[in-house]
Amino acid sequence: MTEPPAGEAGVDDADLIARVGAGDQDALAVLYDRYGRPCFSLARRITADITFAEDVVQEVFLAVWRAPGKFDPGRGAFGSWLLAMTHHKAVDAVRREETLRRRRAESADGADAARQHDVPGVEDQVWTGLRGDRVRAALRGLPGVQREALGLAYFGGYTQREVAALTGAPLGTVKTRMLAGMRRLATLLGDVADSAGTADDEGALP
Amino acid sequence: MNAPRDEHAEFDELAVGWALHALEPDDEESFAVHLRGCSRCTVTVQTTTGALTEIAGAIPEDEPPPGLRDRIMGAVAREPQETQPPQEAQQHRPPATPPPAIPPAATPSPAPGASTPAWRRGRVLAAAAAVLAVVVGLGVWNVVLQGDRDHQASLAQLYSRAVHDVTRPGVPRAQLTTAAGAPMATVVGGDDKLRVVTVRMPENDTRTSVYVLWGVPKHGSPTAIGTFDVTRDGINDTVVRSTNAGARFPAYAVSHEPGRQAPTRPSAVIASGTVSD
């Protein structure tokens, strides 16, 4: 998780959120200074468009401004919550903008086109461009088909059914790949040795 | 897949899809109901979200355009804040523990002395606008996914009729929202018959499950008022006949229950809200 930059007099996020709840616009500005950059980076990665990414980030921070009480500090860090919201809104923006993609995903030609457009982008610009040895190693520890399915969903904004169409795999297989991939990823990110090494895609689940 | 699957395996897969925001609309709606009562799926969603957040935080960072901060702060200066009390986290951050029998009402009680006709109308219209926003979103979704304009038109007609009832002066009503504040249903009336208008509540299997409308007293346990089914996508407008002599309650809740009978206590509460009239 990206840490907020030092400074800002050491005020923690929960205090800033409380101030936002009291109508303090400056507190929201501080939160933007801390998290605007990772939010924008994620939104841009998903939308592949600076203007869309700006709109997503604005939507996210306006949502925080309108209803700061929706963040519950008892359920995790503010930054995690904000990035999850950013992902959700960015995917929604992509889907609104690319409605034809859903129909395109139904056809084999469209699948080829989408695969050429999206998967190399995920592989080249994201998976191999990650900072942080642990995250990079964890991603490399996934079987390719699991990494592909998760990448198409998380960074491409595709639904499970669309991922199935794009990859030519049955929907059930895609769902299993995503579940197995996420379990594996969580384990690898948790620094727990995975004795299965590079297990088969459809290997037994815990 | 060759490994044996336990009965919950399908939900495990949906939980990951939920955290990825990668479910089809139908799956998303039905899984939302399941998630509220399933601690195993809650853990799966949280674990998945945590791992994804770590990845998101590790991607190469781009500097936002320099004007974005000013643009956001300018929009903030023009944007009113919601005056609701803190609520449960957003839908994609479910409670870490199963929901209480009756969650805290998400709709604030009217301020004393504020119950003027104008205030009532404004409040109802605000609720109607919130519902309309949901319906419009649904309509767009349906057009995108199915090209089903007739369905959208029938939704609009249903909604229009429901709003007409909701805005009739002098009739008690309660807007029921999820813990995250999303409108799910409006309960109109309060005697022996109550009208329940649901919005995007997942269809239930009428052979194996049922929705239950609960009256929530100021003190004591909730009382089952009656049962109903949701049999169509979008808006359902149903009448629930009270089984308890038309007792009135200050708040209502809806739960989704296995079987076809109302239990003595609600299990998976979908939405709740207080009465305004």
Side-chain angles (χ1 to χ4, degrees):
Chain A
M1 179 55 226
T2 303
E3 293 299 322
E8 302 299 348
V11 180
D12 67 28
D13 294 342
D15 290 340
L16 289 168
I17 280 289
R19 281 166 48 191
V20 170
D24 184 344
Q25 296 178 20
D26 290 343
L28 189 83
V30 174
L31 288 171
Y32 173 82
D33 290 340
R34 289 183 183 182
Y35 297 109
R37 189 170 164 167
C39 286
F40 176 76
S41 304
L42 179 60
R44 186 178 179 187
R45 185 73 53 184
I46 292 165
T47 62
D49 184 285
I50 291 177
T51 304
F52 276 122
E54 284 188 79
D55 289 345
V56 165
V57 174
Q58 176 168 328
E59 235 184 286
V60 166
F61 280 92
L62 274 179
V64 173
W65 170 251
R66 274 193 299 263
K70 288 189 176 177
F71 167 64
D72 181 353
R75 297 196 188 117
F78 175 74
S80 300
W81 179 73
L82 205 63
L83 279 173
M85 195 195 328
T86 301
H87 174 261
H88 196 104
K89 288 185 183 295
V91 167
D92 284 345
V94 167
R95 289 177 185 168
R96 279 197 303 267
E97 187 60 22
E98 297 184 19
T99 54
L100 285 177
R101 201 186 53 179
R102 290 185 177 277
R103 296 176 194 135
R104 190 182 64 190
E106 300 299 323
S107 72
D109 290 347
D112 290 343
R115 186 194 299 269
Q116 286 171 8
H117 177 74
D118 286 282
V119 177
V122 170
E123 293 284 358
D124 296 344
Q125 296 171 36
V126 178
W127 301 129
T128 59
L130 290 169
R131 289 204 300 258
D133 290 344
R134 203 161 61 95
V135 170
R136 189 183 299 112
L139 291 168
R140 284 178 177 164
L142 291 182
V145 287
Q146 292 177 8
R147 196 167 57 235
E148 177 190 54
L150 292 173
L152 283 170
Y154 189 69
F155 289 105
Y158 291 101
T159 65
Q160 292 177 324
R161 191 176 301 281
E162 288 171 327
V163 171
L166 291 169
T167 59
L171 177 59
T173 301
V174 166
K175 289 180 175 181
T176 303
R177 285 175 182 173
M178 287 184 179
L179 174 61
M182 281 313 309
R183 282 180 171 167
R184 193 172 185 76
L185 202 53
T187 300
L188 292 167
L189 286 171
D191 281 331
V192 178
D194 189 336
S195 58
T198 52
D200 291 342
D201 169 37
E202 327 304 353
L205 301 175
Chain B
M1 148 166 188
N2 301 323
R5 289 165 66 95
D6 65 35
E7 289 179 1
H8 199 274
E10 185 183 346
F11 290 116
D12 292 338
E13 292 169 349
L14 289 172
V16 168
W18 170 275
L20 284 161
H21 193 27
L23 297 182
E24 302 299 327
D26 289 352
D27 280 346
E28 190 163 80
E29 289 188 11
S30 59
F31 182 72
V33 175
H34 169 83
L35 180 60
R36 288 189 183 93
C38 181
S39 55
R40 173 167 161 173
C41 282
T42 298
V43 170
T44 302
V45 168
Q46 289 178 334
T47 303
T48 304
T49 302
L52 293 172
T53 299
E54 225 173 316
I55 291 167
I59 63 176
E61 288 194 351
D62 299 314
E63 195 62 46
L68 180 57
R69 186 183 194 273
D70 289 345
R71 186 176 134 193
I72 289 173
M73 296 316 297
V76 161
R78 297 187 299 271
E79 185 80 14
Q81 289 184 288
E82 291 178 11
T83 53
Q84 294 191 348
Q87 298 169 340
E88 295 291 345
Q90 61 172 351
Q91 282 181 305
H92 281 250
R93 299 299 306 274
T97 54
I102 292 292
T107 309
S109 300
S115 298
T116 62
W119 176 87
R120 283 204 304 267
R121 185 160 300 278
R123 181 176 167 77
V124 168
L125 290 177
V131 175
L132 180 60
V134 173
V135 174
V136 167
L138 177 75
V140 170
W141 224 350
N142 279 330
V143 169
V144 167
L145 294 179
Q146 303 157 22
D148 190 351
R149 294 182 185 280
D150 291 344
H151 179 60
Q152 191 187 14
S154 92
L155 274 184
Q157 199 175 36
L158 267 173
Y159 171 75
S160 171
R161 203 165 63 222
V163 167
H164 173 77
D165 289 331
V166 170
T167 52
R168 212 166 42 191
V171 178
R173 61 201 164 267
Q175 190 188 14
L176 311 191
T177 62
T178 65
M184 286 290 276
T186 301
V187 178
V188 185
D191 296 319
D192 59 334
K193 284 191 298 188
L194 294 96
R195 197 158 185 175
V196 181
V197 183
T198 64
V199 188
R200 287 187 62 193
M201 198 173 272
E203 295 172 41
N204 62 301
D205 185 335
T206 57
R207 296 164 306 173
T208 60
S209 70
V210 73
Y211 284 105
V212 180
L213 178 66
W214 300 85
V216 186
K218 194 166 258 183
H219 305 289
S221 300
T223 302
I225 293 171
T227 62
F228 65 97
D229 294 313
V230 174
T231 56
R232 75 168 80 207
D233 184 23
I235 294 181
N236 273 253
D237 188 355
T238 57
V239 172
V240 175
R241 296 188 181 281
S242 175
T243 56
N244 49 16
R248 291 200 172 194
F249 295 93
Y252 292 95
V254 168
S255 70
H256 183 228
E257 305 291 351
R260 296 293 295 163
Q261 302 292 321
T264 53
R265 287 186 62 78
S267 53
V269 170
I270 307 300
S272 63
T274 53
V275 171
S276 62
D277 55 10

